[in-house]
Amino acid sequence: MIYTDQKLRIYNSVSNEKQTFTPIQQGHVGMYVCGPTVYSKVHLGNVRTFMSFDMIYRYLLHLGYKVRYVRNITDVGHLVDDADQGEDKIGKRARLERLEPMEIVQRYTVDFHDILNQFNLLPPSIEPTATGHIIEQIQLIQKVIDNGYGYQSNGSVYFDVTKYNQDYDYSELSHRKLEDMISNSRKLDGQSDKRGEQDFAMWKRAEPDHLMRWPSPWGDGFPGWHTECITMSTKYLGEKFDLHGGGMDLKFPHHECEIAQGKACTAHAPVNYWLHANLLTLNGKKMAKSTGNNILPGEILAGTNPLLSKAYSASVTRFLMMQTHYRSIMDFSDQAMLAAEKGYHRLMSSVQDLQNINPGTLSTLDIPAWREDCYRAMDDDFNTPILISHLFEGVNFINMLKDKSAWLTSADLNHFSRTMSVLIYDVLGLGKSSAVSSTHKDKLEGTINLLIEMRNAARDDKNYLLSDQIREGLTALDILLEDTKDGTRFKY
Ligand SMILES: [Zn+2]
């Protein structure tokens, strides 16, 4: 296992520093990531967040860990204003479109899976839904009440933040002071069921016209968003697990509330390492539908957004995203995509060239040192931009090998080629080459070689019409022919 030799360090949002990663159970990792609220098409910023955790999941798998990766679907309980007021996001959409809430859920869950699949994200091990875990949420709420940190009020159940903060620290993740939060928040209007302004709903009473409702010991209602994640994470990963991730915007109140409910139930922190992916901006500004500064992931692939000069592949988009560290703000623009496209093609065509390099009798490049640099970057809190810069050192190596100003022994050449492929395809998730089965690949390559033979035969017969037709037809499929003194080669 590679992980035994690696010193993986992860930035923990609780301590605000990088810590050496030690899993609870050796060789195993439990990881939970807050999934989407499925009431509209998935946002590009969310794709970036999920892609960041996909890269982290891929790297942990590559290191040899057995990873149980849980990412939920929020299909109830996420209210419009993110606090305890306003309509349920899914319920509102269902009302506007005159559909059943579950029709909205189904439509946008399918869209979410479709987009993530196109961007080559691996599916999680378990994808639980909030509506599928109502009983477990009621049980967790009851435990919080029994332990003295929750109270019932007018058919709803709230978490008592003031009481909790006397025994624990309601700022362990967000590092905010409760007094500041209280003075900054709206005063209760007298109609609220809450005792304290910072208290949050674990269970909300359903008004008579509310569509999504379940019976509970406190009357008909629905669970609060902060309760579903702590319920489903601890159900599948245990009352204490290794990693919890999400977007930076979920740190407070969502994740702070998860910790509070976990501690209120078990008297210990539910999670060892909290990870947060940063925001995505478009042309330097926050994305917003209202200003037109907005782009959907599908529009990038189709090239149908006026902010783009053309369509881009999912791999190029992924390459651009991986060029920014997951904890930094990432800016998306047409210009950045054009540059990413150039860089991506340079990297991929170079990796193809590597297949045609012949080994020498000695090595003039230090492959073990280069490989160590690549892993050191990933072990330093998953630093993909630094990894990519090392992959481009690899591109320089390949150029030197091609023009015979450097040599590698057969063992070093294999090692180099394998490391490049593993990091590009398996860890960064670029391209889909590794997903193509070898028989499929062999058949494709056999067919291309047959066409090359036919083209060369046509040229020998001076039938240039046919030979050009074959070359142009292949070019249209992004298969490029290269005539060398050793014969004709092709690359994708
Ligand atoms: Zn969550």
Side-chain angles (χ1 to χ4, degrees), residues 32 34 72 225 229 254-255 258:
Y32 186 90
C34 290
N72 72 299
W225 175 42
C229 281
H254 187 56
H255 291 160
E258 280 194 52

Side-chain angles (χ1 to χ4, degrees), residues 90 266 402:
I90 290 161
T266 62
K402 265 169 75 177

Side-chain angles (χ1 to χ4, degrees), residues 82-119:
D82 276 358
D84 290 331
Q85 303 302 317
E87 240 180 306
D88 184 289
K89 288 188 178 189
I90 290 161
K92 182 181 178 187
R93 192 63 180 246
R95 187 174 54 75
L96 293 175
E97 298 201 25
R98 293 170 182 269
L99 292 170
E100 271 292 318
M102 279 297 139
E103 287 181 281
I104 297 294
V105 165
Q106 179 69 16
R107 177 193 295 171
Y108 294 113
T109 301
V110 168
D111 172 75
F112 174 68
H113 287 153
D114 181 39
I115 291 291
L116 262 51
N117 185 36
Q118 291 190 59
F119 284 91

